Amino acid sequence: MAYQEIVSTGSVYKGRTSMWLYLFHRITGVALFGYLLLHIISTALILAGPEIYEGAEAIYKNFYFRLGEVGLMAAVLAHAINGLRIITVDLWKKGSDYQKSLNVVALLIFIGIFVPTTYRMITSYFDICIEKSSPGTTVVDCMVRPLPDWKS
Amino acid sequence: MQNTTRTDWGRRQPPIGGSNFELYAWFFMRVSGLFLVLLAAGHMFIMHVFNDTLNLDYEFVAARWDTPYWRTFDWLLLALSILHGTNGLRIVMHDNIANKLHRSLALYSLYFVSTAFFVLGTYVLVAFVRQS
Ligand code: HEM
Ligand code: HEM
């Protein structure tokens, strides 16, 4: 039985929380891999020198991208913590006896890190934007501007 | 695989009875995952909590890459996340592509793309010299 020849469809899965966690881990994993490829390309631009690298980075500096980065942070964090839960279940003898508690602990750790990090990512965005932009820039300007009006 | 289902405890079961390669691959996902907690989650928090990407510029990266340590950190992150992600996608493709021809095509494209990005990322880390 090297590989299963049967195509998995949602309907063969049993178990509720387990099924959702499994699917969730899969979706975040595939999404992270996609991001990784884009990220390697945008980092490679650094070889073309400061002008081009910073020109490309500027695009990522508007508020919509910041929301995207919050999503990315959540995906990394969730995949990491759920991954640790899986590792605990598999490599700790008693892990499987405590799987319900482990689910709860994982969720609490996720919330405990996600909430303050998001708060920090949003507030520091506005602090830095207002500090660096031309005088008179408001929070709303920071939110809707497609490109920053300053050069880094 | 007595009376457990494939998704028991929200994960893939250890592939007992298959090839050794599958068992090692299963174990590798767990070990690389442990390292990626430090590397990937660490990298994210460095970029977003200890710095802010609004301040990200050429100089920031050049200064980090002045030390061989961050280049090594980035290279480990690159290598492990590509291996871990590629093996993960290999499994996803085996699960979801029934047609053998389509599956082989998908798998070979995956291996090709992963190798190319690994080479590109490594080249960037080795070849970068500060222009000032
Ligand atoms: C941050 C630390 C990480 C940990 C602790 C972790 C842990 C794990 C574990 C334990 C598995 C196996 C799940 C199973 O057998 O059911 C897995 C699967 C996977 N991971 Fe990660 N991982 C991490 C980061 C990443 C990153 C950065 C990527 C993307 C490049 C990624 C992509 C994947 C993919 C695509 C799968 C396959 C999912 C599946 O088979 O359903 N992981 N991860
Ligand atoms: C939005 C969040 C992120 C930001 C702002 C960010 C930023 C950066 C920056 C500025 C670099 C250049 C090198 C350095 O300064 O160390 C870099 C390199 C790198 N990042 Fe990220 N990163 C993010 C998320 C991630 C994630 C989630 C992963 C893993 C899946 C990742 C993997 C890498 C790798 C492998 C390199 C080295 C690339 C190469 O060898 O060319 N990054 N990142």
Side-chain angles (χ1 to χ4, degrees):
Chain A
M1 204 213 71
Y3 297 117
Q4 287 171 310
E5 292 295 338
I6 304 164
V7 180
S8 338
T9 62
S11 57
V12 269
Y13 291 147
K14 284 200 199 148
R16 279 174 235 171
T17 318
S18 294
M19 182 195 97
W20 288 114
L21 283 175
Y22 182 67
L23 207 60
F24 181 74
H25 201 73
R26 190 158 268 202
I27 292 168
T28 50
V30 173
L32 287 178
F33 191 76
Y35 172 78
L36 179 66
L37 299 187
L38 294 176
H39 188 50
I40 292 175
I41 293 180
S42 66
T43 304
L45 289 178
I46 198 154
L47 291 185
E51 292 290 305
I52 293 185
Y53 184 70
E54 286 173 11
E57 287 298 318
I59 302 166
Y60 304 134
K61 291 188 175 175
N62 66 41
F63 189 66
Y64 311 108
F65 271 93
R66 176 52 52 99
L67 296 179
E69 287 173 339
V70 170
L72 182 72
M73 179 275 291
V76 174
L77 192 64
H79 187 97
I81 292 171
N82 189 46
L84 288 173
R85 179 195 63 81
I86 292 171
I87 294 168
T88 313
V89 167
D90 282 331
L91 303 183
W92 176 41
K93 265 196 216 123
K94 294 197 182 141
S96 52
D97 296 342
Y98 294 102
Q99 54 148 324
K100 287 233 167 87
S101 337
L102 283 173
N103 290 347
V104 176
V105 171
L107 184 65
L108 291 179
I109 295 177
F110 174 80
I111 294 173
I113 303 179
F114 172 76
V115 171
T117 308
T118 305
Y119 177 78
R120 150 92 209 191
M121 284 172 73
I122 299 292
T123 50
S124 101
Y125 182 88
F126 292 118
D127 291 348
I128 298 175
C129 175
I130 287 178
E131 182 195 313
K132 287 199 170 182
S133 300
S134 49
T137 301
T138 63
V139 169
V140 177
D141 295 331
C142 285
M143 250 159 109
V144 296
R145 252 176 213 166
L147 286 174
D149 78 348
W150 41 272
K151 287 204 120 198
S152 51
Chain B
M1 316 215 167
Q2 305 79 6
N3 46 13
T4 55
T5 62
R6 185 148 192 272
T7 57
D8 255 17
W9 310 323
R11 85 214 202 283
R12 264 181 98 224
Q13 280 181 239
I16 298 160
S19 64
N20 270 346
F21 173 77
E22 284 304 320
L23 194 60
Y24 289 137
W26 179 89
F27 189 61
F28 168 76
M29 288 310 267
R30 274 112 191 109
V31 176
S32 56
L34 281 178
F35 283 100
L36 281 169
V37 173
L38 270 177
L39 295 165
H43 177 76
M44 285 274 315
F45 284 102
I46 290 171
M47 294 300 164
H48 284 304
V49 177
F50 302 112
N51 299 288
D52 190 294
T53 47
L54 279 188
N55 293 325
L56 182 62
D57 57 9
Y58 184 87
E59 180 49 38
F60 175 82
V61 179
R64 277 165 60 82
W65 284 355
D66 275 344
T67 72
Y69 305 109
W70 286 116
R71 287 199 204 217
T72 312
F73 182 102
D74 283 349
W75 188 78
L76 287 174
L77 173 60
L78 173 76
L80 278 183
S81 54
I82 289 214
L83 275 173
H84 178 102
T86 304
N87 188 48
L89 257 102
R90 181 185 67 91
I91 293 163
V92 174
M93 286 173 175
H94 269 290
D95 282 351
N96 293 298
I97 308 179
N99 181 303
K100 275 205 165 149
L101 177 68
H102 294 177
R103 189 167 65 210
S104 308
L105 284 175
L107 285 170
Y108 282 115
S109 335
L110 172 69
Y111 300 150
F112 176 78
V113 169
S114 298
T115 312
F117 276 79
F118 173 70
V119 171
L120 173 63
T122 304
Y123 175 75
V124 172
L125 282 169
V126 173
F128 177 79
V129 192
R130 182 198 279 273
Q131 304 175 5
S132 42

